[in-house]
Amino acid sequence: MEPVTQATSAAVGSVIKPPKSQSPWALARRKFFKNKIAMISLVFLIIVTLLSIFAEPLTIPVEETAKINLTQMSKEPSAEHFFGTDKSGRDVFARTLHGGQTSLLLAFSITIAVITIGSIVGATAGFFGGWVDNALMRFTDFMMNFPFLLFVIVLKSIFLESSTATLIFVISVLSWTGTARLVRSKVMAEKENEYILSAISIGCSPFKTITKHLLPNVMSTIIVQATLTLAVMIVAETGLSFLGFGVPMNIPSWGNMLQEARSPDVLTSKWWIWIPPAAVLTGTILSINFIGEGFKDAFNPKSNR
Amino acid sequence: MNTEVKETTTNIRDKRNNDVLLEVRNLKTYYPIKGGIFRKTVAVVKAVDDISFEIKKGETLGLVGESGCGKSTAGRTILRLLDATDGQIIFDGEDITNIRGVSLRKVRKDFQMVFQDPYASLNPMMMVGDLISEPIRNFTNRSSKDLKPEVMELLTKVGLPEDAYYKYPHEFSGGQRQRIGIARALALRPKLIIADEPVSALDVSVQSQVLNLLKELQDEFDLTFLFIAHDLSVVKHMSNRIGVMYLGGLVEVAEKSSLYAEPLHPYTQALISAIPEPDPRKKKERIILEGDVPSPIDPPKGCTFHPRCAHAMPECQQVKPTLKEVKPGHRVACHLYN
């Protein structure tokens, strides 16, 4: 009996299988790297991120971007100002890069917070079920019922020294509910698998069962959810700043820059003031969504492209 | 309540036969069905309803019954993967029915389970080597690396090549995965292994390999098995004694030879008459049961088998029969043998 099995598996190993065995993660990674659109998007996102991070050495310090220069008002793009200057004479190129720093930092921080809170709440509720699930989910419903915009505006006016950090905090606290529900439903489906029962029967503690057995298997969903959240959060920052409830006015951000397009004069005849941030913003959101799509395909065992 | 339990436990300890490894007394596992706005319990599914049996050290008790009769639930309740509604589980002289938390985790190393579905019972994200060493790592401070020689030895014991160590579950066939599952159950050198239909997901040629492997390992590691299956020929091959379950209850328990030669309960008789006969010229009388298995939510009064039983008497509709020893070592729950 034994020699037969060994011979067959050896034969299978040498003929069909690739020489090195691959974890499900490695398989997904390979599939992702083969996805052209996702790769182009990833490169674009990395370039935007790097340019934003190195905004200061590349252009001017952030304090300079806020300085009003009346002699340089609304200048068209030139060699001196790549994207021209805005109505207060500030360099649009430098502000776009520095704005990217603010917008991306905000979006990434909120996403990390949202995914962390959402996963912990969702996994706990889904794994334990019963009254734990009931309590956590009713709390989630409660948080979900806050009208987002209204709440942000109210909280922003309470915290008078509104800074980027307050904004991150406020949006995170209000946005984790969707992720929690998603993770909970995934965990509930996944925990029906016998390997969870098997983990308990070999003496894993609930904490270990969740972190070592459940979470790795719902991680694909969490990662896809994270990319989608990231895109939504960039839009949220832009929307709030556009309305004047977001990042403080003295800090450049894509939303703050787009606010200038509220004046008809800028919108119609001074395109260079709002096109650059709008274009970078659109490109970033698109590429994040494409990357998310790519992740989704890579983790889906049914897609074989 | 608690003192009562303690008293009975000490009682059992005194009387206990030294070679009994597992004793199950009046075990009940009910699943509540919740309904309405307030999630009140509107009904219960009596998945396991008052079963008692014991397993001696080194023997294999087979548990048979059709789908939904509660045999898997019984196995999981005994391993404390499900909570018992009532009754006692005495493992190696210790009442484990109500222990919880860390102390429960500690006793888990003495009993392990081989699961039914080899495609669902291995974490797809973990390397086989880590899967097999994980039970040991849970109970000691040793690292994966440290345990590698032992894992390699286990892999060889269950008939897998050593390079399986670095592979992932998706690279194996069903039979090979079941071997991984067996290696994992063996890693802690448990006293009892509950095999919950370990071969029902495999095709027939692989079934016999896995069954023979289990038998070899039983001799080598001095294991005691509770072998759950719905396939009578598989159970016959594996077991010393066999228990037959119907609708959550145990209707007959006997030595293998006695049960197959002379089944007493009408249900067992019907089951055994349904085993296919390889010789086509041999005429065999099949007992065909009428009707379906009743719902375990609302089981029939009296003997749960009476609506389908050819020998039903008025008494069967009223009084629930209990397991009685009719012949030495042969117990049956049926009014025919009063």
Side-chain angles (χ1 to χ4, degrees):
Chain A
M1 173 192 86
E2 252 74 305
V4 175
T5 348
Q6 283 188 7
T8 14
S9 59
V12 168
S14 59
V15 180
I16 304 164
K17 268 179 224 154
K20 226 181 144 253
S21 85
Q22 291 191 308
S23 73
W25 284 117
L27 287 176
R29 198 162 54 222
R30 232 179 36 178
K31 226 193 257 177
F32 179 75
F33 285 146
K34 275 189 193 158
N35 186 335
K36 280 204 190 86
I37 301 174
M39 286 316 290
I40 293 169
S41 303
L42 187 66
V43 169
F44 179 81
L45 188 66
I46 288 173
I47 291 173
V48 171
T49 313
L50 286 179
L51 281 177
S52 306
I53 291 172
F54 297 111
E56 192 159 315
L58 282 171
T59 57
I60 46 174
V62 73
E63 306 84 54
E64 299 280 318
T65 62
K67 267 191 192 144
I68 294 167
N69 186 347
L70 295 178
T71 60
Q72 296 286 325
M73 271 164 56
S74 306
K75 284 277 194 307
E76 279 187 48
S78 62
E80 195 186 343
H81 302 288
F82 294 138
F83 293 166
T85 57
D86 66 6
K87 284 198 313 191
S88 315
R90 300 173 293 194
D91 185 65
V92 176
F93 181 67
R95 277 174 68 80
T96 306
L97 295 197
H98 281 288
Q101 201 173 344
T102 317
S103 294
L104 289 176
L105 177 75
L106 207 93
F108 274 110
S109 321
I110 295 172
T111 304
I112 291 169
V114 160
I115 294 297
T116 311
I117 304 172
S119 301
I120 292 172
V121 173
T124 313
F127 180 74
F128 290 102
W131 67 267
V132 179
D133 180 30
N134 238 324
L136 285 173
M137 280 303 114
R138 293 303 78 78
F139 178 62
T140 308
D141 291 345
F142 174 71
M143 291 304 290
M144 218 169 215
N145 279 327
F146 284 119
F148 179 78
L149 204 57
L150 217 70
F151 207 70
V152 171
I153 294 167
V154 171
L155 277 184
K156 287 287 288 182
S157 47
I158 294 172
F159 297 111
L160 277 177
E161 295 161 52
S162 67
S163 65
T164 317
T166 14
L167 195 65
I168 291 173
F169 174 76
V170 171
I171 298 181
S172 305
V173 163
L174 289 171
S175 311
W176 55 270
T177 50
T179 307
R181 279 191 172 179
L182 181 84
V183 172
R184 169 180 173 265
S185 69
K186 263 282 159 187
V187 162
M188 283 171 81
E190 202 65 35
K191 83 165 177 182
E192 291 306 314
N193 276 321
E194 275 180 343
Y195 68 83
I196 297 300
L197 221 51
S198 156
I200 298 169
S201 77
I202 59 163
C204 290
S205 63
F207 179 75
K208 202 178 168 200
T209 311
I210 293 177
T211 51
K212 276 207 73 183
H213 295 271
L214 258 179
L215 281 184
N217 285 288
V218 295
M219 200 40 97
S220 58
T221 314
I222 294 178
I223 290 175
V224 172
Q225 175 73 2
T227 50
L228 299 179
T229 310
L230 186 62
V232 169
M233 285 314 150
I234 293 180
V235 178
E237 183 278 324
T238 317
L240 285 174
S241 299
F242 184 80
L243 294 174
F245 299 115
V247 180
M249 287 307 293
N250 56 338
I251 302 172
S253 86
W254 291 340
N256 278 347
M257 292 176 73
L258 284 177
Q259 202 181 2
E260 305 229 7
R262 276 157 86 182
S263 106
D265 170 47
V266 172
L267 193 64
T268 50
S269 54
K270 296 190 174 101
W271 54 269
W272 62 87
I273 295 179
W274 60 273
I275 288 274
V280 180
L281 178 74
T282 313
T284 307
I285 291 167
L286 268 181
S287 63
I288 291 172
N289 278 322
F290 282 133
I291 293 169
E293 264 323 290
F295 280 143
K296 218 190 257 177
D297 274 347
F299 290 126
N300 183 0
K302 281 170 201 137
S303 81
N304 260 320
R305 280 194 289 156
Chain B
M1 170 76 209
N2 247 338
T3 47
E4 240 178 74
V5 171
K6 261 181 201 153
E7 269 172 40
T8 32
T9 319
T10 39
N11 249 335
I12 292 152
R13 266 207 189 128
D14 298 337
K15 281 191 287 178
R16 185 168 68 92
N17 186 340
N18 260 335
D19 9 289
V20 173
L21 181 66
L22 174 78
E23 187 174 354
V24 175
R25 301 190 134 203
N26 305 94
L27 187 70
K28 290 175 187 164
T29 310
Y30 295 169
Y31 293 112
I33 300 175
K34 309 234 170 170
I37 321 168
F38 299 107
R39 314 274 305 142
K40 271 203 301 196
T41 304
V42 290
V44 286
V45 177
K46 298 182 174 177
V48 174
D49 198 10
D50 202 353
I51 63 170
S52 307
F53 61 83
E54 50 184 48
I55 305 179
K56 293 193 192 75
K57 274 181 189 143
E59 84 167 345
T60 302
L61 177 73
L63 212 51
V64 280
E66 54 200 300
S67 312
C69 72
K71 50 193 193 304
S72 287
T73 305
R76 289 179 181 189
T77 312
I78 292 166
L79 286 193
R80 290 298 317 277
L81 295 171
L82 290 172
D83 281 329
T85 311
D86 197 14
Q88 274 178 287
I89 305 155
I90 297 138
F91 178 78
D92 213 9
E94 189 189 351
D95 188 338
I96 60 162
T97 326
N98 294 310
I99 56 170
R100 304 200 159 268
V102 181
S103 42
L104 175 61
R105 283 213 292 283
K106 268 185 195 147
V107 297
R108 283 198 189 285
K109 72 171 186 293
D110 287 332
F111 44 80
Q112 287 294 310
M113 190 156 192
V114 176
F115 289 88
Q116 177 173 9
D117 183 355
Y119 292 91
S121 58
L122 300 173
N123 184 346
M125 295 292 174
M126 280 172 80
M127 212 166 71
V128 169
D130 289 334
L131 275 171
I132 296 175
S133 66
E134 192 188 13
I136 312 177
R137 281 183 283 130
N138 275 346
F139 290 97
T140 56
N141 287 326
R142 302 169 65 188
S143 68
S144 272
K145 223 174 162 183
D146 193 23
L147 288 164
K148 205 171 151 189
E150 286 177 44
V151 174
M152 291 292 189
E153 200 191 319
L154 273 168
L155 280 171
T156 324
K157 284 239 161 72
V158 298
L160 287 169
E162 288 198 342
D163 66 350
Y165 187 95
Y166 297 104
K167 290 185 178 172
Y168 287 84
H170 69 93
E171 296 171 275
F172 294 92
S173 68
Q176 289 172 318
R177 285 182 196 214
Q178 202 58 297
R179 286 167 192 266
I180 298 170
I182 292 168
R184 199 168 190 233
L186 278 177
L188 285 167
R189 305 287 142 100
K191 294 173 184 157
L192 172 75
I193 287 187
I194 296 191
D196 183 7
E197 307 212 23
V199 294
S200 65
L202 310 175
D203 60 57
V204 182
S205 57
V206 182
Q207 279 192 3
S208 59
Q209 291 175 9
V210 171
L211 291 176
N212 287 332
L213 171 68
L214 282 173
K215 280 199 124 176
E216 282 164 29
L217 295 171
Q218 178 169 30
D219 294 337
E220 191 177 339
F221 292 98
D222 206 13
L223 295 169
T224 306
F225 275 121
L226 173 61
F227 194 88
I228 300 168
H230 58 246
D231 186 330
L232 283 162
S233 45
V234 166
V235 171
K236 189 179 180 182
H237 182 70
M238 289 300 293
S239 319
N240 305 109
R241 285 193 308 135
I242 294 172
V244 181
M245 279 186 79
Y246 181 77
L247 210 64
L250 206 52
V251 296
E252 190 165 358
V253 187
E255 294 290 326
K256 172 169 73 178
S257 51
S258 169
L259 189 95
Y260 277 84
E262 201 188 342
L264 294 179
H265 197 280
Y267 180 64
T268 318
Q269 288 167 358
L271 276 185
I272 287 181
S273 81
I275 301 176
E277 174 64 52
D279 185 351
R281 275 161 301 187
K282 217 168 172 181
K283 271 257 157 94
K284 214 175 122 176
E285 205 185 322
R286 269 207 64 181
I287 305 168
I288 294 171
L289 289 177
E290 304 269 318
D292 289 318
V293 185
S295 159
I297 297 172
D298 185 20
K301 222 181 143 205
C303 173
T304 49
F305 188 59
H306 83 257
R308 305 175 73 192
C309 182
H311 313 281
M313 305 177 290
E315 192 189 3
C316 301
Q317 295 172 21
Q318 300 302 327
V319 187
K320 192 171 180 176
T322 49
L323 271 180
K324 280 193 195 101
E325 188 148 6
V326 177
K327 290 193 296 178
H330 198 139
R331 294 190 297 155
V332 64
C334 182
H335 290 305
L336 288 173
Y337 304 96
N338 279 349

